[in-house]
Amino acid sequence: MENLIKGQRLALAGLVTGNVLQLGIAGEGVALDYACFGLDSSGKLSDERYMTFFNQPRTPCGAVEVQAPAGDAAGFHFQLGRLPAAIERLVITAAIDGAATLSQLGSGYLRLLDGGRELARFAYGGKDFANEKAIMLGELYRKDGQWRFMAVGQGFNGGLDALVRHFGGEVAPAAPAPAAVSAVAQAKINLEKRVEREAPQLVSLVKQAGVSLQKVGLSEHRAKVCLCLDISGSMGRLYREGLVQRFAERILALGCKFDDDGEIDVFLFGKNVHHPAPMDLSNCTTYVSRAIDHHPLEGDTRYGRAMEAIRAFYFPDERGGERGGERGGERTRPLRAELPVYVMFVTDGGTSDQATTEKQLRWASNEPIFWQFMGIGKGRKSKSKLLAAFADSDFPFLEKLDELQGRLVDNANYFSVSSPDEHSDAQLYDLLMAEYPGWLKLAQRNGLLA
């Protein structure tokens, strides 16, 4: 582990063993709000969606995410390879929340980690500042095609207001004293207006999803949403008739209530697993057909392989390597995160990797991720009390997963439908929230959620 001084630079090539870099931050004595600014070649915040902070915790590409490593007050999780080429610098900042100044700061640090292993640390404290109210702590930047880090430690008297101006943002001169609040408000996406402007067909869906969330007390709840779609050959008719496309739009609407970035992650699986770009407001109208054109339907169905890929994407630390003959991914201790992940897992048949799937679900029970399985077939059986009609199920293995033993918490629910459009919007959203609120309580009680 290397102790860095102000202005010192560090090449990351050879230090970071995987695709993930973690950054932990702490400061004592004053309340700080942390943010990461994604800047272009001119050093400007040309796309406000690349200001990552508590109100906008993830970039559109998923490369930067608010996530504190174990033991740190705050932090970020980076997958630098996912950043668009236009983003050349990532500047990590802290701003005072209140009337204090940085001179009242006791001590603080910024540290870089690779899979939990500390690579470097930059220490700072109140003695380094006077009346400043914000600070640029460090910077990740590209040079000669490689990422490097620099310890910065530069203060700003004007707080977050000064930082936003420094990075090219506009702050109204008539703004009242708490300028940081107005700057944050400027950076936050007004998602409802975006939906009306970019995807008006989703307006009623978003409103209906909101009604269902209000019923279960989750109106202000935040979560990431992932749609996992079966692309085995038997799904062909459902894709051709647009049924999967319409269902995907309903899940995107749910994502618009759970998050404010207007997008959901998508995974496709058959024999292999594919991870296309997210489905968002700008591409949603033809998203599914274009995804299938790029990844044609294929033979076999492997739930376990898809689940492993999803877990590796959201919670990659402590992963990798061979474990007792199995592929990486075993987790035996609870992992804590700021935001949960809601996975909508859609299939029309059984899986050829049942043993792997069971292991993945057990290991995933130690992570803040909820699996909502939906089988498309004749069966109507579900443990949900929302469905009154019961019949023999076409998905006995999904039922088994629903009741699987050996998990830290019950992290899955299952229902089946005869067609993706069987239920009305209101019925579907109520069904999707049948067990998720209960899982949230269990996840918090077991240390999976901050």
Side-chain angles (χ1 to χ4, degrees):
M1 191 270 289
E2 185 170 357
N3 289 309
L4 304 177
I5 61 173
K6 185 174 180 178
Q8 186 172 349
R9 300 168 189 264
L10 180 69
L12 299 181
L15 289 179
V16 180
T17 57
N19 297 320
V20 176
L21 176 70
Q22 298 166 285
L23 186 146
I25 326 171
E28 298 177 354
V30 296
L32 294 171
D33 287 330
Y34 300 97
C36 176
F37 290 83
L39 309 179
D40 59 22
S41 58
S42 62
K44 302 302 181 184
L45 181 66
S46 55
D47 186 338
E48 67 180 19
R49 296 176 301 168
Y50 282 84
M51 178 181 172
T52 311
F53 62 116
F54 64 91
N55 240 348
Q56 190 165 270
R58 186 167 176 261
T59 60
C61 62
V64 184
E65 185 175 343
V66 173
Q67 188 176 120
D72 297 318
F76 295 92
H77 177 281
F78 300 102
Q79 296 186 74
L80 299 175
R82 295 177 64 88
L83 276 172
I87 303 298
E88 295 195 357
R89 298 166 53 198
L90 297 171
V91 180
I92 297 89
T93 69
I96 294 288
D97 180 14
T101 64
L102 287 173
S103 62
Q104 297 170 261
L105 179 69
S107 63
Y109 65 80
L110 177 153
R111 65 184 187 132
L112 300 176
L113 304 99
D114 172 37
R117 176 176 60 93
E118 187 167 345
L119 304 174
R121 178 179 292 238
F122 171 52
Y124 59 92
K127 60 182 175 55
D128 301 319
F129 307 100
N131 296 320
E132 296 99 324
K133 294 182 69 66
I135 176 178
M136 282 200 304
L137 294 171
E139 177 180 328
L140 291 160
Y141 64 98
R142 301 181 199 255
K143 184 175 182 181
D144 300 328
Q146 301 292 331
W147 283 95
R148 299 188 175 198
F149 174 80
M150 179 174 68
V152 180
Q154 178 183 345
F156 288 82
N157 288 331
L160 187 57
D161 188 346
L163 285 173
V164 172
R165 281 200 179 96
H166 181 75
F167 295 131
E170 296 182 0
V171 180
V181 176
S182 61
V184 169
Q186 283 189 341
K188 184 179 179 181
I189 299 172
N190 188 329
L191 189 57
E192 290 186 2
K193 291 183 179 179
R194 282 191 60 206
V195 171
E196 293 176 359
R197 181 175 66 253
E198 299 178 34
Q201 75 275 17
L202 298 184
V203 171
S204 62
L205 292 175
V206 172
K207 290 181 179 179
Q208 188 57 62
V211 171
S212 294
L213 295 181
Q214 186 176 25
K215 290 180 183 178
V216 293
L218 296 181
S219 295
E220 304 301 321
H221 178 64
R222 294 182 63 80
K224 305 167 192 174
V225 175
C226 172
L227 176 61
C228 186
L229 295 174
D230 185 343
I231 59 168
S232 59
S234 57
M235 290 280 293
R237 180 187 64 82
L238 301 176
Y239 283 104
R240 288 192 302 272
E241 295 181 359
L243 296 174
V244 178
Q245 169 66 34
R246 290 195 289 275
F247 184 81
E249 291 181 0
R250 296 163 97 182
I251 302 305
L252 176 59
L254 176 65
C256 289
K257 296 302 297 184
F258 272 167
D259 207 344
D260 60 8
D261 59 4
E263 68 177 37
I264 58 174
D265 296 309
V266 177
F267 284 78
L268 310 174
F269 74 99
K271 178 181 180 181
N272 302 302
V273 181
H274 310 280
H275 185 194
M279 181 180 189
D280 59 34
L281 298 179
S282 65
N283 66 18
C284 63
T285 304
T286 59
Y287 182 89
V288 170
S289 61
R290 287 187 292 106
I292 295 303
D293 286 343
H294 193 65
H295 302 288
L297 303 184
E298 54 193 46
D300 205 354
T301 306
R302 301 185 182 183
Y303 299 173
R305 182 169 289 184
M307 295 172 70
E308 181 181 14
I310 292 171
R311 292 178 56 226
F313 174 67
Y314 288 109
F315 307 112
D317 51 313
E318 299 182 20
R319 298 179 58 85
E322 296 290 324
R323 301 177 189 270
E326 294 294 327
R327 299 179 66 185
E330 181 175 8
R331 192 184 298 281
T332 58
R333 294 177 298 176
L335 174 69
R336 186 177 181 181
E338 294 291 328
L339 294 178
V341 180
Y342 184 102
V343 178
M344 184 71 230
F345 197 104
V346 179
T347 182
D348 75 335
T351 181
S352 62
D353 62 353
Q354 291 191 4
T356 299
T357 301
E358 291 181 19
K359 290 179 181 179
Q360 288 295 324
L361 190 61
R362 289 191 179 100
W363 293 339
S365 71
N366 287 288
E367 298 164 345
I369 182 167
F370 179 81
W371 304 87
Q372 176 61 69
F373 293 99
M374 183 178 82
I376 304 174
K378 297 179 180 179
R380 293 285 304 276
K381 189 171 183 180
S382 169
K383 71 178 181 180
S384 169
K385 295 180 180 178
L386 294 171
L387 294 181
F390 287 83
D392 292 335
S393 175
D394 287 345
F395 300 93
F397 182 64
L398 286 179
E399 284 193 345
K400 180 180 179 181
L401 293 181
D402 199 3
E403 305 292 344
L404 190 66
Q405 301 299 307
R407 292 176 289 169
L408 176 67
V409 297
D410 181 354
N411 59 340
N413 186 33
Y414 153 72
F415 64 89
S416 65
V417 293
S418 58
S419 173
D421 61 353
E422 176 178 341
H423 298 294
S424 68
D425 297 332
Q427 292 171 332
L428 176 66
Y429 290 128
D430 284 353
L431 190 55
L432 296 184
M433 290 300 108
E435 295 204 7
Y436 180 66
W439 171 82
L440 284 173
K441 295 178 182 178
L442 291 175
Q444 291 168 344
R445 192 179 305 156
N446 285 272
L448 300 179
L449 290 173

